[in-house]
Amino acid sequence: MDVSVIIVNYNTKNLLLDCIASLFEKTEGVEWEVIVSDNGSTDGSFEAVSSRFPSVIWIANNRNLGFGAANNRALERAEGKYILYLNSDTAVVNNAVKLFFDWFETNGETENAGVIGCNLTDANGNTIHSCGAFPSVGREIKNNFHDLLRSVKCSIPVLRNGHFGSEPPAQKRVCGAVDYVTGADMFLRNDSYAMFDERYFLYYEDTDLQKTLSLSGRRNFIIDGPEIIHLKGQSGKTSSVLDFYRSLSKIHTQLSACIFEHKFNRHPVRRFLLKTIILLTWLNPLLLSKTSPFIPRLIKA
């Protein structure tokens, strides 16, 4: 087996069907398999996928294990020489699996490659977030301090309709070595480095994996050729502070940031400052009903 495509699913039936359909339509010239690791979906995902794509391997986790843990359950079953971790809200536009495979077979050893990915686009063809620089404590403090100020602003009645997020800047196409490839599409060898750290429930687990690869001497790349649409990437709209936390997305992002910084950055005073800023944000009365169950985990992170 050349490539195992691993997709984590949690109640994204229609997106998942479109993603798998694009793989079967575009992939050729390579021996491959699809493994879906399902985190307890209740939207009929299993019935729909098994009916349309009976060859897909389905792993029923029966509960939401988180992104990294679900990927690991699939990795245990993967027979491919390489792994392509692919989000369910993506669609391949061309023979991306084969193009990733060919690049790694040709350049993987000479470039000492860890993870490779491509320039992702939204549904309109605009380049979106596809890679980034490894986090630093200082940058995390700055970003979370801005979040704290926004949460305070949104707690004042006259300003409560203000926005918590901001429109993301336009992204430029990248080609070459990067710190990390976004977790929407990660192509790498099927070895021990393909395992995720399961202390992360959601977010930063992809960055953690690639930071570990980087420390081992491997390099991560964005390559030209593969074309993948990432539908979630088009949703850069601003949202109110309540909406931002209601989905728990921001909570898990901040928790994971603390785990990452504790693991890789030896600045205890700065880490303490980061956690304090996040805690002050979470204590906002508008957010407390959502954030309070996670405060003990924040303190331990």
Side-chain angles (χ1 to χ4, degrees):
M1 185 72 66
D2 296 321
V3 182
S4 296
V5 181
I6 294 177
I7 306 171
V8 173
N9 178 60
Y10 181 61
N11 290 325
T12 61
K13 179 180 69 174
N14 292 331
L15 290 171
L16 177 63
L17 289 171
D18 290 343
C19 177
I20 296 174
S22 74
L23 285 165
F24 277 98
E25 178 184 351
K26 300 295 184 180
T27 306
E28 59 183 5
V30 65
E31 187 177 356
W32 63 292
E33 64 181 356
V34 178
I35 306 173
V36 174
S37 186
D38 184 75
N39 274 339
S41 297
T42 56
D43 64 348
S45 291
F46 170 71
E47 293 79 6
V49 170
S50 60
S51 174
R52 286 186 58 183
F53 307 104
S55 64
V56 168
I57 300 169
W58 188 273
I59 298 175
N61 298 315
N62 298 320
R63 63 186 180 89
N64 194 345
L65 301 180
F67 184 75
N71 274 312
N72 287 347
R73 299 295 88 74
L75 185 64
E76 294 166 359
R77 294 276 302 275
E79 297 184 1
K81 178 181 180 181
Y82 298 101
I83 301 297
L84 173 57
Y85 290 120
L86 196 62
N87 275 17
S88 64
D89 59 351
T90 62
V92 298
V93 179
N94 61 3
N95 196 4
V97 177
K98 179 67 159 55
L99 292 169
F100 280 135
F101 174 79
D102 288 346
W103 188 97
F104 227 117
E105 287 287 280
T106 303
N107 304 295
E109 291 301 326
T110 58
E111 295 289 354
N112 207 22
V115 170
I116 62 174
C118 66
N119 286 285
L120 301 168
T121 61
D122 62 19
N124 298 316
N126 301 308
T127 303
I128 58 174
H129 177 65
S130 305
C131 59
F134 289 131
S136 68
V137 179
R139 196 159 57 243
E140 294 290 355
I141 289 172
K142 178 182 177 181
N143 292 339
N144 281 279
F145 183 70
H146 288 163
D147 289 344
L148 171 61
L149 294 180
R150 294 185 189 109
S151 71
V152 171
K153 175 182 176 181
C154 289
S155 68
I156 300 173
V158 70
L159 299 175
R160 194 164 289 176
N161 290 328
H163 288 100
F164 189 64
S166 59
E167 292 292 343
Q171 300 291 313
K172 295 182 179 180
R173 290 184 63 83
V174 175
C175 185
V178 297
D179 275 1
Y180 72 88
V181 174
T182 185
D185 69 319
M186 295 170 53
F187 191 97
L188 70 165
R189 296 177 181 86
N190 184 356
D191 60 19
S192 60
Y193 286 107
M195 294 285 291
F196 288 95
D197 186 335
E198 296 187 14
R199 285 177 292 180
Y200 301 91
F201 182 79
L202 191 62
Y203 304 120
Y204 282 74
E205 61 281 289
D206 52 337
T207 310
D208 175 288
L209 183 152
Q210 293 174 79
K211 178 72 172 181
T212 302
L213 275 167
S214 178
L215 292 173
S216 77
R218 296 285 179 176
R219 300 196 299 162
N220 307 309
F221 292 89
I222 293 291
I223 68 169
D224 275 333
E227 298 177 11
I228 298 176
I229 295 172
H230 187 201
L231 296 175
K232 186 176 181 180
Q234 70 185 349
S235 57
K237 298 177 181 179
T238 58
S239 56
S240 72
V241 63
L242 284 174
D243 289 338
F244 215 61
Y245 278 83
R246 187 174 289 120
S247 67
L248 304 184
S249 174
K250 189 65 177 179
I251 293 173
H252 286 300
T253 299
Q254 292 173 321
L255 271 176
S256 293
C258 291
I259 295 170
F260 184 93
E261 298 302 340
H262 181 78
K263 183 174 180 178
F264 292 107
N265 295 312
R266 303 181 183 278
H267 300 286
V269 175
R270 292 184 181 182
R271 292 201 308 268
F272 176 78
L273 179 57
L274 173 62
K275 290 168 71 170
T276 300
I277 291 171
I278 293 172
L279 179 60
L280 289 173
T281 305
W282 287 11
L283 291 176
N284 184 318
L286 291 177
L287 308 178
L288 198 55
S289 64
K290 290 292 183 182
T291 58
S292 58
F294 295 90
I295 289 177
R297 291 171 58 184
L298 174 65
I299 293 171
K300 293 178 181 178

